[in-house]
Short mmCIF file of all heavy atoms in Angstrom, two decimals:
data_model
loop_
_atom_site.label_atom_id
_atom_site.label_comp_id
_atom_site.label_asym_id
_atom_site.label_seq_id
_atom_site.Cartn_x
_atom_site.Cartn_y
_atom_site.Cartn_z
N VAL T 1 -15.32 -7.66 -21.00
CA VAL T 1 -14.10 -6.89 -20.77
C VAL T 1 -12.87 -7.79 -20.66
O VAL T 1 -11.77 -7.40 -21.06
CB VAL T 1 -14.26 -6.02 -19.50
CG1 VAL T 1 -12.94 -5.40 -19.07
CG2 VAL T 1 -15.31 -4.93 -19.72
N ALA T 2 -13.03 -9.02 -20.17
CA ALA T 2 -11.90 -9.91 -19.89
C ALA T 2 -10.95 -10.10 -21.08
O ALA T 2 -9.73 -9.95 -20.92
CB ALA T 2 -12.40 -11.25 -19.37
N PRO T 3 -11.44 -10.42 -22.29
CA PRO T 3 -10.49 -10.61 -23.40
C PRO T 3 -9.76 -9.31 -23.78
O PRO T 3 -8.61 -9.34 -24.21
CB PRO T 3 -11.33 -11.12 -24.55
CG PRO T 3 -12.75 -10.94 -24.16
CD PRO T 3 -12.80 -10.76 -22.67
N ILE T 4 -10.42 -8.17 -23.58
CA ILE T 4 -9.78 -6.89 -23.87
C ILE T 4 -8.63 -6.66 -22.89
O ILE T 4 -7.54 -6.22 -23.29
CB ILE T 4 -10.81 -5.73 -23.78
CG1 ILE T 4 -11.91 -5.90 -24.83
CG2 ILE T 4 -10.12 -4.38 -23.92
CD1 ILE T 4 -13.10 -4.97 -24.65
N MET T 5 -8.87 -6.99 -21.62
CA MET T 5 -7.82 -6.82 -20.60
C MET T 5 -6.61 -7.72 -20.92
O MET T 5 -5.47 -7.29 -20.80
CB MET T 5 -8.37 -7.14 -19.21
CG MET T 5 -9.50 -6.23 -18.77
SD MET T 5 -9.01 -4.51 -18.59
CE MET T 5 -8.20 -4.59 -17.02
N GLU T 6 -6.89 -8.95 -21.35
CA GLU T 6 -5.80 -9.87 -21.71
C GLU T 6 -5.02 -9.34 -22.91
O GLU T 6 -3.80 -9.43 -22.96
CB GLU T 6 -6.34 -11.28 -21.99
CG GLU T 6 -6.81 -12.02 -20.77
CD GLU T 6 -5.70 -12.34 -19.76
OE1 GLU T 6 -4.51 -12.42 -20.14
OE2 GLU T 6 -6.03 -12.52 -18.58
N GLU T 7 -5.75 -8.79 -23.87
CA GLU T 7 -5.12 -8.22 -25.06
C GLU T 7 -4.19 -7.06 -24.67
O GLU T 7 -3.05 -6.98 -25.12
CB GLU T 7 -6.22 -7.72 -26.00
CG GLU T 7 -5.85 -7.65 -27.45
CD GLU T 7 -7.06 -7.29 -28.29
OE1 GLU T 7 -8.01 -8.10 -28.37
OE2 GLU T 7 -7.04 -6.18 -28.86
N ILE T 8 -4.69 -6.18 -23.81
CA ILE T 8 -3.88 -5.04 -23.36
C ILE T 8 -2.65 -5.54 -22.60
O ILE T 8 -1.55 -5.03 -22.78
CB ILE T 8 -4.73 -4.09 -22.49
CG1 ILE T 8 -5.81 -3.41 -23.35
CG2 ILE T 8 -3.86 -3.04 -21.80
CD1 ILE T 8 -6.86 -2.63 -22.56
N ALA T 9 -2.84 -6.57 -21.77
CA ALA T 9 -1.72 -7.13 -21.01
C ALA T 9 -0.62 -7.62 -21.94
O ALA T 9 0.58 -7.46 -21.66
CB ALA T 9 -2.20 -8.26 -20.10
N GLY T 10 -1.01 -8.22 -23.07
CA GLY T 10 -0.04 -8.73 -24.03
C GLY T 10 0.63 -7.65 -24.85
O GLY T 10 1.76 -7.82 -25.31
N GLU T 11 -0.05 -6.54 -25.03
CA GLU T 11 0.46 -5.47 -25.91
C GLU T 11 1.23 -4.37 -25.18
O GLU T 11 1.97 -3.63 -25.83
CB GLU T 11 -0.71 -4.81 -26.64
CG GLU T 11 -1.41 -5.71 -27.62
CD GLU T 11 -2.69 -5.10 -28.19
OE1 GLU T 11 -3.09 -3.99 -27.76
OE2 GLU T 11 -3.28 -5.74 -29.06
N ARG T 12 1.01 -4.22 -23.89
CA ARG T 12 1.55 -3.06 -23.18
C ARG T 12 2.48 -3.48 -22.03
O ARG T 12 2.05 -3.57 -20.88
CB ARG T 12 0.41 -2.21 -22.61
CG ARG T 12 -0.51 -1.56 -23.63
CD ARG T 12 0.13 -0.39 -24.35
NE ARG T 12 0.58 0.65 -23.45
CZ ARG T 12 -0.12 1.72 -23.08
NH1 ARG T 12 -1.34 1.89 -23.56
NH2 ARG T 12 0.39 2.61 -22.26
N PRO T 13 3.76 -3.72 -22.33
CA PRO T 13 4.69 -4.09 -21.26
C PRO T 13 4.98 -2.94 -20.28
O PRO T 13 5.56 -3.16 -19.23
CB PRO T 13 5.96 -4.50 -22.02
CG PRO T 13 5.86 -3.80 -23.34
CD PRO T 13 4.39 -3.68 -23.64
N ASP T 14 4.54 -1.72 -20.63
CA ASP T 14 4.80 -0.56 -19.78
C ASP T 14 3.79 -0.43 -18.64
O ASP T 14 3.95 0.42 -17.76
CB ASP T 14 4.77 0.73 -20.63
CG ASP T 14 3.45 0.93 -21.37
OD1 ASP T 14 2.93 -0.07 -21.92
OD2 ASP T 14 2.95 2.06 -21.39
N ILE T 15 2.75 -1.28 -18.66
CA ILE T 15 1.78 -1.27 -17.56
C ILE T 15 1.59 -2.69 -17.04
O ILE T 15 1.97 -3.66 -17.69
CB ILE T 15 0.41 -0.70 -17.99
CG1 ILE T 15 -0.23 -1.58 -19.06
CG2 ILE T 15 0.52 0.76 -18.41
CD1 ILE T 15 -1.68 -1.26 -19.33
N LYS T 16 0.97 -2.80 -15.87
CA LYS T 16 0.65 -4.09 -15.29
C LYS T 16 -0.87 -4.22 -15.28
O LYS T 16 -1.56 -3.32 -14.81
CB LYS T 16 1.20 -4.14 -13.87
CG LYS T 16 1.24 -5.52 -13.26
CD LYS T 16 1.76 -5.47 -11.85
CE LYS T 16 3.27 -5.38 -11.81
NZ LYS T 16 3.78 -5.56 -10.43
N VAL T 17 -1.39 -5.30 -15.84
CA VAL T 17 -2.82 -5.55 -15.87
C VAL T 17 -3.14 -6.61 -14.81
O VAL T 17 -2.55 -7.68 -14.81
CB VAL T 17 -3.29 -6.02 -17.27
CG1 VAL T 17 -4.78 -6.33 -17.25
CG2 VAL T 17 -2.97 -4.96 -18.32
N CYS T 18 -4.06 -6.27 -13.90
CA CYS T 18 -4.39 -7.15 -12.79
C CYS T 18 -5.89 -7.32 -12.67
O CYS T 18 -6.65 -6.41 -12.98
CB CYS T 18 -3.85 -6.57 -11.48
SG CYS T 18 -2.06 -6.36 -11.46
N LYS T 19 -6.30 -8.51 -12.21
CA LYS T 19 -7.71 -8.83 -12.04
C LYS T 19 -7.97 -9.21 -10.59
O LYS T 19 -7.19 -9.94 -9.99
CB LYS T 19 -8.09 -10.02 -12.93
CG LYS T 19 -7.88 -9.76 -14.40
CD LYS T 19 -8.07 -11.02 -15.22
CE LYS T 19 -9.43 -11.60 -15.14
NZ LYS T 19 -10.44 -11.08 -16.05
N ILE T 20 -9.10 -8.71 -10.05
CA ILE T 20 -9.51 -9.07 -8.70
C ILE T 20 -10.93 -9.62 -8.78
O ILE T 20 -11.86 -8.91 -9.14
CB ILE T 20 -9.47 -7.85 -7.76
CG1 ILE T 20 -8.03 -7.33 -7.63
CG2 ILE T 20 -10.03 -8.23 -6.38
CD1 ILE T 20 -7.89 -6.08 -6.79
N ASN T 21 -11.08 -10.90 -8.43
CA ASN T 21 -12.39 -11.54 -8.39
C ASN T 21 -13.07 -11.10 -7.09
O ASN T 21 -12.62 -11.44 -6.00
CB ASN T 21 -12.23 -13.06 -8.45
CG ASN T 21 -13.55 -13.79 -8.45
OD1 ASN T 21 -14.54 -13.35 -7.87
ND2 ASN T 21 -13.56 -14.95 -9.09
N VAL T 22 -14.14 -10.31 -7.21
CA VAL T 22 -14.79 -9.74 -6.02
C VAL T 22 -15.43 -10.80 -5.13
O VAL T 22 -15.57 -10.59 -3.93
CB VAL T 22 -15.81 -8.64 -6.38
CG1 VAL T 22 -15.13 -7.47 -7.07
CG2 VAL T 22 -16.94 -9.18 -7.24
N ASP T 23 -15.81 -11.95 -5.71
CA ASP T 23 -16.39 -13.03 -4.90
C ASP T 23 -15.33 -13.68 -4.02
O ASP T 23 -15.61 -14.07 -2.89
CB ASP T 23 -17.03 -14.09 -5.79
CG ASP T 23 -18.30 -13.61 -6.46
OD1 ASP T 23 -18.89 -12.62 -5.98
OD2 ASP T 23 -18.71 -14.23 -7.47
N GLU T 24 -14.10 -13.81 -4.56
CA GLU T 24 -13.02 -14.45 -3.81
C GLU T 24 -12.26 -13.47 -2.92
O GLU T 24 -11.60 -13.89 -1.98
CB GLU T 24 -12.05 -15.11 -4.80
CG GLU T 24 -12.67 -16.26 -5.57
CD GLU T 24 -11.74 -16.82 -6.64
OE1 GLU T 24 -10.62 -16.29 -6.82
OE2 GLU T 24 -12.16 -17.79 -7.31
N GLN T 25 -12.32 -12.18 -3.24
CA GLN T 25 -11.56 -11.16 -2.50
C GLN T 25 -12.49 -10.03 -2.04
O GLN T 25 -12.30 -8.86 -2.39
CB GLN T 25 -10.44 -10.60 -3.38
CG GLN T 25 -9.46 -11.62 -3.91
CD GLN T 25 -8.72 -12.35 -2.79
OE1 GLN T 25 -8.34 -11.76 -1.79
NE2 GLN T 25 -8.54 -13.64 -2.96
N PRO T 26 -13.51 -10.34 -1.21
CA PRO T 26 -14.44 -9.29 -0.81
C PRO T 26 -13.78 -8.17 0.01
O PRO T 26 -14.23 -7.02 -0.04
CB PRO T 26 -15.49 -10.03 0.01
CG PRO T 26 -14.82 -11.28 0.47
CD PRO T 26 -13.84 -11.63 -0.63
N GLU T 27 -12.70 -8.49 0.72
CA GLU T 27 -12.01 -7.46 1.51
C GLU T 27 -11.40 -6.40 0.59
O GLU T 27 -11.48 -5.21 0.87
CB GLU T 27 -10.91 -8.06 2.39
CG GLU T 27 -11.39 -9.09 3.38
CD GLU T 27 -11.41 -10.51 2.81
OE1 GLU T 27 -11.11 -10.70 1.61
OE2 GLU T 27 -11.73 -11.44 3.57
N LEU T 28 -10.78 -6.83 -0.50
CA LEU T 28 -10.18 -5.88 -1.44
C LEU T 28 -11.26 -5.06 -2.14
O LEU T 28 -11.11 -3.86 -2.32
CB LEU T 28 -9.30 -6.60 -2.47
CG LEU T 28 -7.99 -7.17 -1.94
CD1 LEU T 28 -7.27 -7.97 -3.04
CD2 LEU T 28 -7.08 -6.09 -1.41
N ALA T 29 -12.36 -5.71 -2.52
CA ALA T 29 -13.47 -4.98 -3.15
C ALA T 29 -14.01 -3.93 -2.17
O ALA T 29 -14.28 -2.79 -2.54
CB ALA T 29 -14.57 -5.94 -3.58
N GLY T 30 -14.12 -4.30 -0.90
CA GLY T 30 -14.60 -3.37 0.11
C GLY T 30 -13.64 -2.23 0.36
O GLY T 30 -14.05 -1.08 0.56
N GLN T 31 -12.36 -2.54 0.34
CA GLN T 31 -11.33 -1.52 0.55
C GLN T 31 -11.42 -0.41 -0.49
O GLN T 31 -11.15 0.75 -0.21
CB GLN T 31 -9.95 -2.21 0.48
CG GLN T 31 -8.78 -1.31 0.74
CD GLN T 31 -7.46 -2.10 0.69
OE1 GLN T 31 -7.42 -3.29 1.00
NE2 GLN T 31 -6.41 -1.44 0.27
N PHE T 32 -11.85 -0.77 -1.71
CA PHE T 32 -11.97 0.21 -2.79
C PHE T 32 -13.43 0.63 -3.03
O PHE T 32 -13.72 1.28 -4.02
CB PHE T 32 -11.36 -0.34 -4.08
CG PHE T 32 -9.86 -0.42 -4.01
CD1 PHE T 32 -9.23 -1.59 -3.64
CD2 PHE T 32 -9.09 0.70 -4.28
CE1 PHE T 32 -7.85 -1.65 -3.56
CE2 PHE T 32 -7.71 0.65 -4.20
CZ PHE T 32 -7.10 -0.52 -3.83
N ALA T 33 -14.33 0.24 -2.12
CA ALA T 33 -15.74 0.60 -2.20
C ALA T 33 -16.36 0.23 -3.55
O ALA T 33 -17.12 0.99 -4.13
CB ALA T 33 -15.95 2.08 -1.89
N VAL T 34 -16.00 -0.94 -4.05
CA VAL T 34 -16.55 -1.41 -5.33
C VAL T 34 -17.99 -1.85 -5.10
O VAL T 34 -18.24 -2.77 -4.34
CB VAL T 34 -15.69 -2.56 -5.91
CG1 VAL T 34 -16.36 -3.18 -7.13
CG2 VAL T 34 -14.30 -2.06 -6.25
N MET T 35 -18.93 -1.17 -5.74
CA MET T 35 -20.35 -1.47 -5.59
C MET T 35 -20.92 -2.13 -6.84
O MET T 35 -21.92 -2.83 -6.76
CB MET T 35 -21.14 -0.18 -5.31
CG MET T 35 -20.78 0.48 -4.02
SD MET T 35 -21.26 -0.58 -2.65
CE MET T 35 -20.27 0.08 -1.35
N SER T 36 -20.32 -1.87 -7.99
CA SER T 36 -20.79 -2.44 -9.26
C SER T 36 -19.57 -2.98 -10.01
O SER T 36 -18.47 -2.46 -9.86
CB SER T 36 -21.45 -1.36 -10.12
OG SER T 36 -22.59 -0.86 -9.48
N ILE T 37 -19.82 -4.03 -10.80
CA ILE T 37 -18.73 -4.58 -11.59
C ILE T 37 -19.17 -4.67 -13.05
O ILE T 37 -20.37 -4.76 -13.31
CB ILE T 37 -18.26 -5.96 -11.06
CG1 ILE T 37 -19.45 -6.92 -10.93
CG2 ILE T 37 -17.51 -5.81 -9.76
CD1 ILE T 37 -19.06 -8.33 -10.55
N PRO T 38 -18.26 -4.63 -14.00
CA PRO T 38 -16.82 -4.43 -13.76
C PRO T 38 -16.50 -3.00 -13.32
O PRO T 38 -17.13 -2.06 -13.78
CB PRO T 38 -16.20 -4.72 -15.12
CG PRO T 38 -17.28 -4.39 -16.12
CD PRO T 38 -18.58 -4.73 -15.43
N THR T 39 -15.56 -2.90 -12.41
CA THR T 39 -14.98 -1.61 -12.05
C THR T 39 -13.53 -1.66 -12.47
O THR T 39 -12.80 -2.58 -12.10
CB THR T 39 -15.09 -1.32 -10.54
OG1 THR T 39 -16.46 -1.14 -10.19
CG2 THR T 39 -14.32 -0.06 -10.16
N LEU T 40 -13.11 -0.69 -13.27
CA LEU T 40 -11.73 -0.60 -13.73
C LEU T 40 -11.06 0.57 -13.04
O LEU T 40 -11.65 1.65 -12.94
CB LEU T 40 -11.68 -0.40 -15.25
CG LEU T 40 -12.42 -1.44 -16.09
CD1 LEU T 40 -12.39 -1.06 -17.55
CD2 LEU T 40 -11.83 -2.82 -15.88
N MET T 41 -9.85 0.36 -12.55
CA MET T 41 -9.09 1.43 -11.90
C MET T 41 -7.68 1.45 -12.45
O MET T 41 -7.12 0.41 -12.77
CB MET T 41 -9.00 1.20 -10.39
CG MET T 41 -10.30 1.34 -9.67
SD MET T 41 -10.07 1.17 -7.89
CE MET T 41 -11.77 1.15 -7.38
N VAL T 42 -7.12 2.64 -12.53
CA VAL T 42 -5.72 2.79 -12.86
C VAL T 42 -5.04 3.34 -11.61
O VAL T 42 -5.47 4.35 -11.05
CB VAL T 42 -5.50 3.76 -14.05
CG1 VAL T 42 -4.01 3.92 -14.34
CG2 VAL T 42 -6.24 3.25 -15.28
N MET T 43 -4.01 2.63 -11.16
CA MET T 43 -3.27 3.06 -9.97
C MET T 43 -1.83 3.34 -10.33
O MET T 43 -1.23 2.63 -11.14
CB MET T 43 -3.35 2.00 -8.87
CG MET T 43 -4.76 1.80 -8.37
SD MET T 43 -4.85 0.71 -6.95
CE MET T 43 -4.10 1.71 -5.68
N LYS T 44 -1.29 4.37 -9.74
CA LYS T 44 0.10 4.71 -9.93
C LYS T 44 0.65 5.14 -8.57
O LYS T 44 0.01 5.91 -7.86
CB LYS T 44 0.23 5.85 -10.95
CG LYS T 44 1.65 6.12 -11.36
CD LYS T 44 1.71 7.07 -12.53
CE LYS T 44 3.17 7.21 -12.93
NZ LYS T 44 3.36 8.04 -14.08
N ASP T 45 1.82 4.61 -8.22
CA ASP T 45 2.43 4.90 -6.93
C ASP T 45 1.47 4.63 -5.78
O ASP T 45 1.42 5.39 -4.81
CB ASP T 45 2.94 6.35 -6.89
CG ASP T 45 3.96 6.63 -7.99
OD1 ASP T 45 4.78 5.72 -8.27
OD2 ASP T 45 3.94 7.72 -8.57
#
């Protein structure tokens, strides 16, 4: 998925593409109840 995300980031200035490494940020993964990866989410407001 990683190269696809980078491609989208380069092509779509109307959105923000962000990556969260679950090993380095377990609190954020827990906050969103991420149990399996990759997990993709779209957030607005």
Side-chain angles (χ1 to χ4, degrees):
V1 169
I4 298 169
M5 298 296 281
E6 289 295 336
E7 205 174 294
I8 293 170
E11 294 172 356
R12 295 287 303 267
D14 58 317
I15 63 168
K16 194 181 280 189
V17 177
C18 299
K19 299 172 62 86
I20 298 176
N21 182 328
V22 297
D23 289 341
E24 295 174 358
Q25 302 299 320
E27 300 89 356
L28 289 175
Q31 182 178 330
F32 289 95
V34 172
M35 296 294 161
S36 297
I37 53 174
T39 292
L40 304 175
M41 292 184 188
V42 178
M43 295 187 70
K44 189 170 183 177
D45 301 322

